[in-house]
């Protein structure tokens, strides 16, 4: 009996992209917090703020805790909402994709355009980037960046990260040896390789 060797793929949204489970699924630099603050959408969001004029601790960054398998040439679009609530005209937020090789060594960035307070004021806006996995890429992470001023009070929010990422998987079906009687119970083995952490397998069907 010939065994099929399909190569399907699946869509996988960023886990906790709206932060409603708090910081689960994200890492931040010391200047960034994931806070219970309804300023954006829902009850939680990511935030960078300096409390005193002239206080400056550096820009903020947030990254998905997990990296996700990709293949060279794969195209991903990442978007996120943001708000430059307070700050100078140059205060901004941005999104980016980081590409890694199979050993976890960073290969390249794909950057979106900064969304500045001078362009949208204190209104909510959206940042986006469309990136192509470079040669040698095996994994990707999603990132948000907060860029604020040293000379003024600043508050920047980001929320609702999403992307159109699909993951390549391979399905391997193994059959038992051929020496069995027609009345024997025959068990086949099925393995699905390449699933991102947390991606469920909702159903499996096999016909012959």
């Amino acid at each position: 009996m010939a065994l099929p060797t399909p190569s399907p793929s699946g869509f996988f949204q960023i886990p906790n992209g709206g932060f409603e489970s708090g910081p689960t699924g994200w890492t931040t630099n010391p200047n960034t917090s994931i806070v219970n603050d309804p300023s954006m959408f829902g009850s939680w969001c990511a935030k960078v703020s300096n409390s005193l004029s002239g206080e400056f601790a550096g820009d903020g960054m947030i990254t998905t805790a997990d990296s996700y398998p990709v293949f060279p040439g794969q195209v991903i679009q990442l978007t996120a909402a943001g708000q430059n609530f307070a700050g100078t005209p140059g205060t901004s937020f941005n999104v980016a994709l980081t590409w890694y090789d199979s050993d976890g060594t960073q290969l390249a960035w794909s950057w979106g355009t900064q969304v500045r307070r001078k362009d949208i004021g204190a209104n909510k806006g959206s940042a986006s980037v469309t990136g192509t996995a470079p040669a040698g890429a095996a994994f990707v992470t999603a990132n948000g960046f907060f860029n604020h001023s040293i000379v003024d009070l600043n508050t920047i929010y980001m929320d609702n990260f999403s992307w159109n990422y699909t993951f390549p998987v391979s399905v391997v079906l193994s059959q038992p040896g051929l020496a069995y009687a027609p009345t024997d119970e025959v068990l086949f083995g099925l393995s699905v390789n390449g699933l991102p952490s947390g991606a469920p397998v909702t159903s499996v069907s096999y016909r012959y």
Side-chain angles (χ1 to χ4, degrees), residues 111-206:
W111 292 94
T113 301
Q114 292 188 15
V115 182
R116 300 174 297 179
R117 197 170 196 268
K118 68 176 292 186
D119 298 321
I120 66 169
N123 300 310
K124 294 180 176 71
S126 178
S128 66
V129 62
T130 299
T132 302
F139 298 99
V140 66
T141 58
N143 312 270
F145 290 88
F146 309 73
N147 308 291
H148 66 87
S149 169
I150 190 172
V151 296
D152 205 353
L153 301 175
N154 298 266
T155 302
I156 311 170
Y157 299 102
M158 293 193 78
D159 203 354
N160 284 9
F161 283 75
S162 64
W163 60 7
N164 63 348
Y165 167 77
T166 59
F167 55 89
V169 299
S170 62
V171 178
V172 179
L173 182 67
S174 58
Q175 70 180 71
L178 299 179
Y180 51 85
T183 56
D184 289 344
E185 179 180 1
V186 181
L187 299 178
F188 291 83
L190 180 70
S191 61
V192 182
N193 305 313
L195 290 176
S197 175
V201 176
T202 56
S203 65
V204 175
S205 61
Y206 174 66

Side-chain angles (χ1 to χ4, degrees), residues 16-23 34 37 41-45 159-160:
N16 194 30
F19 305 109
E20 293 307 292
S21 297
I34 297 175
D37 185 327
F41 306 97
S43 299
W44 290 74
C45 61
D159 203 354
N160 284 9

Side-chain angles (χ1 to χ4, degrees), residues 71-97:
F71 55 86
Q74 183 171 352
V75 178
I76 299 174
Q77 182 181 49
L78 168 68
T79 63
Q83 183 181 22
N84 301 306
F85 183 78
T88 62
T91 300
S92 66
F93 59 89
N94 197 4
V95 293
L97 297 164

